[in-house]
Amino acid sequence: MAKGKKKDSPRDTPADRPKLSSKDYLAELRRLHVELVKLQEWVRAEGIKVCVIFEGRDGAGKGGTIKAITDRVSPRVFRVVALPAPSEREKSQMYMQRYLPYLPAAGEVVIFDRSWYNRAGVERVMGFCTEDQAEKFLRTVPLVEHAIVDSGVILLKYWLNVSQEEQTRRLEERIKDGRKIWKLSPMDLKSYSRWYDYSRARDDMIKATDTEYAPWLVADSNDKRRARLNIISDLLSRIPYKSVSREKVELPKRQKPGGYKESDYPFRHIPETF
């Protein structure tokens, strides 16, 4: 796989692309998982600090993408941060203060499932902050991100772009699916009705905070499978990781029983329903 920073290429999203089969998707995802493990071992060995931000509308596929990234790596290296609403104490702090403790230390990859950009999105649109606070945030966050990058953190920011039609389909699916209903909050429903307010807020956010040292990387997420593969491939291409040599692993011989006999204790086995 090519390493190093990837040059942005023109969008190529023909509507008539054939659907990616489950077999092809899983085969490619498996290959990418191997690369993510290589990245993990390099980050840990070299003491690298990586911070990845995922933003996008409700139903854009942030959670599924993060799960695809973290499925086969160690949670001790890849940490996912999804902060709840701020407490009264946190509301009184400098806005960025509650996020800074979660930034990566050496040997860590921190993934933000929504981030400090809440202020430029949901807080601004839903009136949880004033226009003045939102504008101050947009002016100051590039300075904060510059300091984060200067401290040695590799900072990647992804915006997942979903269409109105696809968002509607996904949110309706959540309503009908008992496994997904927890993903749909009252705030999501309010946000759904304000599509164009969010569009304006997103445009302002990207215009103000898309910098050379911390650019916004936009991914078409209408096709979940392709989006996940494209994002993981892009992430890997932007970090110059290398394979870390390891000793060949062989299982040792088991010890001899030394007189041990299987216990006759009446263990409480679970019912074998399946």
Side-chain angles (χ1 to χ4, degrees), residues 13 19 29 38 40 52 57 69 72 77 111 123 144 147 149 173 200 221-222 250-251 260 273:
T13 56
K19 184 178 179 180
L29 187 60
K38 290 179 183 178
Q40 169 185 277
V52 186
R57 302 177 193 270
I69 292 171
R72 298 292 178 174
V77 178
I111 300 174
E123 289 190 18
V144 176
V149 172
E173 184 181 68
R200 294 184 187 95
S221 67
N222 283 312
E250 292 184 3
L251 290 175
Y260 173 79
T273 308

Side-chain angles (χ1 to χ4, degrees), residues 27-221:
E28 185 62 19
L29 187 60
R30 178 185 175 87
R31 184 187 71 79
L32 292 173
H33 279 158
V34 172
E35 294 301 318
L36 284 168
V37 170
K38 290 179 183 178
L39 170 64
Q40 169 185 277
E41 297 306 292
W42 177 76
V43 164
R44 186 158 50 184
E46 299 295 326
I48 305 301
K49 298 177 288 185
V50 180
C51 180
V52 186
I53 289 173
F54 284 101
E55 294 286 348
R57 302 177 193 270
D58 299 315
K62 299 179 294 297
T65 300
I66 291 170
K67 284 183 179 180
I69 292 171
T70 59
D71 188 39
R72 298 292 178 174
V73 290
S74 170
R76 295 182 179 85
V77 178
F78 280 73
R79 293 194 295 109
V80 178
V81 177
L83 297 184
S87 66
E88 289 302 314
R89 180 178 183 277
E90 288 170 330
K91 289 178 183 178
S92 71
Q93 296 174 340
M94 180 183 73
Y95 178 74
M96 288 291 295
Q97 188 172 340
R98 73 189 295 244
Y99 293 97
L100 296 179
Y102 296 95
L103 290 174
E108 292 180 344
V109 178
V110 171
I111 300 174
F112 280 92
D113 184 354
R114 294 198 184 276
S115 65
W116 45 86
Y117 282 101
N118 273 344
R119 172 132 297 182
V122 65
E123 289 190 18
R124 185 180 194 182
V125 172
M126 302 309 296
F128 297 143
C129 71
T130 66
E131 273 299 303
D132 183 58
Q133 288 174 322
E135 290 170 3
K136 284 181 179 177
F137 168 80
L138 293 176
R139 288 198 302 270
T140 58
V141 74
L143 302 176
V144 176
E145 291 180 350
H146 197 285
I148 291 171
V149 172
D150 275 354
S151 75
V153 174
I154 297 173
L155 178 60
L156 300 174
K157 304 186 304 190
Y158 289 97
W159 175 270
L160 275 62
N161 210 35
V162 66
S163 68
Q164 290 191 54
E165 296 76 17
E166 181 61 17
Q167 185 196 43
T168 297
R169 188 192 69 78
R170 292 177 186 178
L171 296 186
E172 287 179 341
E173 184 181 68
R174 290 181 183 181
I175 294 172
K176 299 172 184 176
D177 192 334
R179 300 168 300 171
K180 298 179 179 180
I181 190 64
W182 64 271
K183 293 183 176 183
L184 197 61
S185 69
M187 187 56 58
D188 295 336
L189 297 176
K190 291 179 182 178
S191 300
Y192 174 80
S193 67
R194 305 186 70 171
W195 176 273
Y196 294 105
D197 286 342
Y198 271 95
S199 294
R200 294 184 187 95
R202 176 205 58 198
D203 295 347
D204 288 347
M205 178 191 77
I206 291 180
K207 183 178 179 181
T209 62
D210 182 34
T211 60
E212 287 297 319
Y213 51 86
W216 276 105
L217 308 167
V218 180
D220 183 340
S221 67

Side-chain angles (χ1 to χ4, degrees), residues 15-30:
D16 58 348
R17 280 186 305 185
K19 184 178 179 180
L20 191 62
S21 71
S22 178
K23 180 180 179 181
D24 290 343
Y25 167 70
L26 292 175
E28 185 62 19
L29 187 60
R30 178 185 175 87

